Amino acid sequence: MNPSGLYAHYIDEPETPRPSPLVPPLCFSMVSPGVYRSGYPLEINFPMLEKLKLRTIIYLADTDYLDENITWCQRHDITVHHYRVPSVREPFVENDPVAIESALRVLSDRRNFPLLVHSNKGKHRVGVLIGCMRKLLQKWSLTAIYAEYMRFAGEKGDADLEFIELFEPKSLGDVPEDSRQEWLVT
């Protein structure tokens, strides 16, 4: 037996390079074909996101986009729609219906796809927008919407769920028929 042990034959073999792992952002998930959700993407997540060939990012937060994210988006020709939406803090800070309505217009137009919706953690603000999308554009039941919201956000979020239930936009604008996503219920 070789004095260096049973596995000595592995030492002399050249190492084959291993591909870098693809690391998704926090709370990453596909919402519908061409629509994804997550928490804030970090540099470690960029290789994975590049595989999606994103055209658009909807960023829901009251903080500025990091310079490295701006540079990465510019390098990959990704349009960023930044809605300065603060985190809901009842009873003082509520969801912004104007921002949600505007973001829904972006979501309803397939020319923006593939698209990533993200906030800082990918839970509450993203959950509100996706919940409104499910209700208004896909005609999901409130029970299904609430279950999806809770899967990402947990128990906190009564104000968000109430907002989703009561939200009725003035207008989502007219997206041309040939630009509507196929899952869009009209």
Side-chain angles (χ1 to χ4, degrees), residues 32 34 75:
S32 286
R75 193 170 53 244

Side-chain angles (χ1 to χ4, degrees), residues 38-104:
S38 76
Y40 200 98
L42 303 173
E43 199 168 334
I44 193 170
N45 310 127
F46 292 166
M48 182 267 181
L49 294 175
E50 288 168 13
K51 300 283 186 190
L52 301 177
K53 300 189 183 324
L54 296 171
R55 283 190 194 164
T56 308
I57 289 178
I58 296 176
Y59 175 44
L60 305 167
D62 52 359
T63 56
D64 291 334
Y65 221 38
L66 293 177
D67 289 340
E68 58 261 28
N69 289 54
I70 292 169
T71 301
W72 181 79
C73 288
Q74 289 170 340
R75 193 170 53 244
H76 293 283
D77 200 27
I78 299 170
T79 302
V80 177
H81 296 267
H82 182 181
Y83 298 96
R84 291 197 173 271
V85 180
S87 183
V88 170
R89 305 238 188 267
E90 276 192 297
F92 306 108
V93 180
E94 298 178 346
N95 285 294
D96 181 354
V98 174
I100 296 298
E101 186 173 329
S102 181
L104 282 170

Side-chain angles (χ1 to χ4, degrees), residues 6-25:
L6 292 173
Y7 303 104
H9 64 280
Y10 290 117
I11 294 172
D12 295 336
E13 291 181 16
E15 261 192 60
T16 56
R18 295 178 188 224
S20 297
L22 297 177
V23 181

Side-chain angles (χ1 to χ4, degrees), residues 113-177:
F113 290 19
L115 177 147
L116 174 68
V117 178
H118 80 84
S119 58
N120 292 329
K121 295 180 183 169
K123 296 178 180 182
H124 303 284
R125 288 174 271 203
V126 171
V128 168
L129 178 59
I130 298 304
C132 290
M133 179 195 95
R134 300 288 197 203
K135 175 186 164 193
L136 299 166
L137 303 180
Q138 294 183 312
K139 307 300 183 195
W140 277 29
S141 71
L142 287 175
T143 302
I145 293 167
Y146 292 174
E148 181 180 49
Y149 178 92
M150 295 301 221
R151 199 167 39 252
F152 288 94
E155 294 299 317
K156 181 188 157 210
D158 290 342
D160 291 341
L161 297 175
E162 182 180 330
F163 179 86
I164 294 167
E165 180 179 358
L166 300 176
F167 180 67
E168 290 297 332
K170 293 178 177 68
S171 166
L172 289 178
D174 293 324
V175 175
E177 183 123 4

